[in-house]
Amino acid sequence: STLEAGIGCHLVFPASLNAATNYTAPRNNSAGALLVDTFTIELWVKPEATRAPCAEASSGIYIYAGQQRFAVWPTWYNTSFGAGISVGTNGISVFQHSDGQLFAPIVVNVSLYGWTHIAVAYDNRVATLYINGVKARVGLPPQLNLPILPGVLLGDRSAASLTPYGPFVGSIDEYRLWSVARAATDIAANYRSTVSVPAPNLVAYFPMDECSGSYVFDGVSGNAMVLGFPPLRDAPEFARGSALTAATVNGGLNVTRALMTPSVSLPTRYIGTKVIHVNDTNWADALAVSMYQYHSVKVSVQV
């Protein structure tokens, strides 16, 4: 089914939140091999604060880490690297973290507004960054010959040891972890689609569509990610894929969304069609949909 982040529920990390997430991640693929050096992390993010740009590096310690915005925390390991992703409104940095090492093999400084899809594919220890399905940059290989494992804590800033590195501010949706380096064509083909579980090489999948409670669940294993904070979620008045009715189209003219004003005008002929996207910024969409914009709010409907 067609997916646009932010229509279903999703996790929100405001600047004032002392947020914690805790997840026992799968470290093996379906064949039982350790998930290391080759994997892909995907997620949708909506950043609401800048992160500090830094120089790309293949080793060393980035001393201004407190200014980062780790949507995916680069877990510290003594004898291996943890891979993480810092995302701000001014760009994306992919980090690797181990004992005495914290550096960014990929740094892309670009303005990010609204929801953005990010994929980081590691192929034999070399990372490639994709933004909205398009290859953005290939990273530097690390100088130290340590294995690289994927980070799985999302927006975490709870422990004193984590806080100085920089908390993520914004929203996160649709976290996916694959046991292969996904090809550019695969990422581009389905980053706007939900995943039917089980799927080949998919080892963790959090749609983030739980709209209440203190957990979000992995659709692959059924394991829960514990939310150590009040579950702040942006829940719109209609869900992804829901049909427009007279109740959701006021007088046949307006679609309303919780926490967002003004409303968006739609012609009456779209009553009964499906909403596939709601966003609060401009973006270019290659899908065959009709879009109507009013001020900063945009709704796409399936036609």
Side-chain angles (χ1 to χ4, degrees):
S1 61
T2 304
L3 165 71
E4 293 297 348
I7 293 185
C9 295
H10 51 273
L11 297 185
V12 181
F13 297 82
S16 60
L17 181 66
N18 182 27
T21 58
N22 183 22
Y23 174 55
T24 302
R27 293 300 184 188
N28 298 62
N29 63 21
S30 57
L34 185 65
L35 190 62
V36 61
D37 290 345
T38 298
F39 53 85
T40 302
I41 300 170
E42 291 187 64
L43 71 163
W44 283 86
V45 296
K46 184 180 179 182
E48 296 179 359
T50 60
R51 101 279 185 241
C54 63
E56 290 183 341
S58 57
S59 66
I61 298 178
Y62 174 60
I63 61 174
Y64 299 108
Q67 301 172 33
Q68 291 305 312
R69 303 293 179 186
F70 283 113
V72 178
W73 165 245
T75 306
W76 177 90
Y77 296 103
N78 188 30
T79 58
S80 60
F81 288 117
I85 307 170
S86 174
V87 187
T89 55
N90 60 343
I92 302 166
S93 301
V94 178
F95 274 83
Q96 290 172 197
H97 190 197
S98 69
D99 188 20
Q101 297 283 314
L102 180 65
F103 58 89
I106 294 179
V107 176
V108 173
N109 298 319
V110 62
S111 295
L112 300 179
Y113 297 102
W115 284 100
T116 300
H117 182 270
I118 296 172
V120 177
Y122 271 85
D123 188 0
N124 194 23
R125 304 175 72 246
V126 176
T128 301
L129 171 66
Y130 298 84
I131 303 175
N132 290 331
V134 178
K135 181 189 287 187
R137 195 161 184 83
V138 177
L140 300 173
Q143 291 184 18
L144 294 179
N145 189 26
L146 296 178
I148 303 173
L149 284 70
V152 294
L153 295 181
L154 306 182
D156 198 298
R157 71 186 81 177
S158 57
S161 60
L162 306 187
T163 301
Y165 294 99
F168 176 72
V169 178
S171 301
I172 295 177
D173 203 358
E174 286 282 326
Y175 171 88
R176 306 169 187 180
L177 178 61
W178 307 81
S179 62
V180 295
R182 301 199 77 208
T185 51
D186 293 333
I187 293 172
N190 75 353
Y191 79 96
R192 281 182 171 153
S193 301
T194 54
V195 179
S196 297
V197 177
N201 305 312
L202 182 66
V203 296
Y205 176 37
F206 288 88
M208 308 292 182
D209 283 341
E210 297 84 358
C211 295
S212 62
S214 298
Y215 305 91
V216 290
F217 290 93
D218 179 1
V220 177
S221 68
N223 293 337
M225 180 180 290
V226 180
L227 307 179
F229 56 93
L232 299 174
R233 298 179 173 95
D234 183 6
E237 294 178 358
F238 47 83
R240 173 193 314 135
S242 62
L244 299 179
T245 65
T248 56
V249 183
N250 301 331
L253 294 176
N254 297 316
V255 175
T256 61
R257 178 174 184 248
L259 309 179
M260 184 178 290
T261 57
S263 59
V264 179
S265 297
L266 290 175
T268 56
R269 66 178 179 274
Y270 288 112
I271 295 179
T273 61
K274 290 185 177 181
V275 176
I276 66 169
H277 183 82
V278 179
N279 204 349
D280 54 0
T281 56
N282 277 321
W283 51 277
D285 192 349
L287 295 176
V289 297
S290 295
M291 292 182 249
Y292 297 85
Q293 185 180 2
Y294 184 66
H295 289 265
S296 63
V297 185
K298 181 175 290 186
V299 168
S300 300
V301 295
Q302 193 172 36
V303 295

